[in-house]
Amino acid sequence: MLNERPVIEVRHARKSYGAVEVLRDVSLKVRKGEIVAIIGPSGSGKSTLLRAINNLDPLTGGEVWLEDTQVNEALPPRRYEAHINRVRQDIGMVFQHFNLFPHLSVRGNITLAPMMLKGIGRKEADELAEQQLARVGLSDRVDFMPSQLSGGQKQRVAIARALAMKPKVMLFDEATSALDPELVEEVNLVMKQLAEEHMTMIIVTHEMGFAQDVCDRVLFMDRGLVVEQGPPDVVFRQPRHERTRAFLRKHLQLRD
Amino acid sequence: MGFDFAVVVPYLGSLFQGAVWTVIVTCAGGALSLAGGVVFAVAALYAPWPVRWGIKGFLWLFRGTPLLLQLFLIYFGLVEIGIDLDAFAAGILGLGLHYATYNADVIQAGILAVDRGQMEAGRTLGLSQGQTLRKIIVPQALRDMAPPLGNNMIALLKDSALVSVIGVAELTLSAQLAISQTFRPFEFYATAGVFYYVINLGLEAILGRIERRTQVAR
């Protein structure tokens, strides 16, 4: 077990926009089945780190690995394009604003990529869509258009869409931040259920309660660095760094 | 003296034939202008920079010069380098390319108006840029583009009269031929005008239907 290759490994990630350094030497290993939360103030680089993992925001320096494939391998543009498209099939991502395809039905949203990329037929794709929708509790919405769904339902469809690619890891970029408070729970429940199924997940979140309940490990980031990491009980109850303490104080107050 | 529309009656058949050619030229030119518009728009937005700037220069040239001149260039000019198109093909090519440049503008704006998250969502699933454009971005952009593209199609229909000058026997040229035999310009031009108007009504009805359909998926 100890020698098993991590599903995701980030080595010495650096990212700057001009003179602004968003990530300054961040490293991260995520084992199979592990659930990692990334918390921190806005502008700390947590979303950038997450988006670097599937190269939506390319790093300026450092390496990202998915098992034994280097995600940001230096290749000529055309070969890199083919490479990254293949790699991304194995990395599911869920966005803050859902980004469902509004011109396609729920079914169409889920089946589009598997049909185009995995060469499966209409019938098999429809079955896949039904399976994944059942997983997020939305079997009865298969023929709806995204505009007919609530925010929470949209996000659950977005999760089903990502799951339909059978990814090795799921990235959540503030998946519940855009939701009305009463809709957050249904999305959290789906994520908890994925946790029970031992899906490997990296979750950028503002919800300390969720991070504490569900995650195996919490990373606190500030100003482009991982300030502190460890099991949620340790990070939340006995944070070692003043910056972590200040951040948690502010957040726990807000929650009361 | 006075107008006498009775002279038109024996020529209605040939005018109708001309009108059919006008519809054919408009449909073919329109299809070319839409396909060309998509290609130019995507190239102007996403191609590597040498191609991008080449396309932009071409668009700028084609928009900045008269369609009539372009038709002459394509029909009479290209013969010099061995490209001898018949009038029909040259007319469709000229109309299609000219309006493709206008459509490209509309399509570019439509693509840029689609939320950036849509491209990210497509790419994240593993789709290529081209696949995402085709399946996700362009269909949504079409929704905003339908009305202005429809206007371009109506303008194209009216400008199809210009291909009469290179000898395509469409509606305007049919009217002119009749006039050269009867010396009754007003009657024939007015009748041709009515034909154009009727074709336009049909086109607008089709466009209206397309617009309604594209609005549904919002």
Side-chain angles (χ1 to χ4, degrees), chain A residues 182-227:
Chain A
E182 73 270 22
L183 302 177
V184 168
E185 198 47 36
E186 62 184 76
V187 175
N188 281 348
L189 275 174
V190 169
M191 289 167 69
K192 275 182 194 162
Q193 181 197 316
L194 289 180
E196 279 157 23
E197 295 168 19
H198 304 292
M199 170 65 78
T200 311
M201 298 198 270
I202 306 176
I203 303 170
V204 167
T205 184
H206 285 297
E207 283 189 77
M208 301 307 139
F210 181 78
Q212 199 159 3
D213 288 353
V214 177
C215 299
D216 303 311
R217 184 150 53 106
V218 178
L219 262 75
F220 172 68
M221 284 184 71
D222 192 23
R223 289 174 232 169
L225 288 169
V226 176
V227 176

Side-chain angles (χ1 to χ4, degrees), chain A residues 79-178:
Chain A
R79 279 187 52 204
Y80 185 73
E81 175 76 13
H83 167 75
I84 192 68
N85 290 339
R86 215 163 31 242
V87 171
R88 281 176 176 153
Q89 294 187 29
D90 291 333
I91 307 179
M93 187 164 202
V94 176
F95 300 88
Q96 183 178 356
H97 296 287
F98 331 130
N99 297 348
L100 289 185
F101 308 133
H103 61 301
L104 299 177
S105 68
V106 166
R107 186 200 313 273
N109 266 274
I110 298 173
T111 55
L112 177 71
M115 284 179 69
M116 289 187 79
L117 301 174
K118 303 215 155 162
I120 65 174
R122 174 92 264 167
K123 205 169 150 240
E124 201 182 331
D126 285 350
E127 278 166 21
L128 181 65
E130 277 157 35
Q131 278 165 22
Q132 301 309 325
L133 279 175
R135 242 169 131 180
V136 300
L138 287 173
S139 297
D140 53 340
R141 294 290 187 270
V142 65
D143 289 315
F144 280 51
M145 295 303 284
S147 59
Q148 296 169 301
L149 303 176
S150 72
Q153 292 171 337
K154 281 182 194 167
Q155 194 60 297
R156 285 148 72 195
V157 171
I159 293 171
R161 177 175 72 181
L163 290 174
M165 292 302 289
K166 311 258 160 84
K168 293 176 176 157
V169 54
M170 288 280 286
L171 313 177
F172 291 85
D173 192 3
E174 300 192 19
T176 55
S177 296

Side-chain angles (χ1 to χ4, degrees), chain A residues 51 81 88 100 102-103, chain B residues 117-118 120 123-124 135 140:
Chain A
R51 291 162 58 86
E81 175 76 13
R88 281 176 176 153
L100 289 185
H103 61 301
Chain B
Q118 293 289 309
E120 288 188 350
R123 299 307 307 274
T124 300
K135 294 289 181 174
Q140 289 180 66

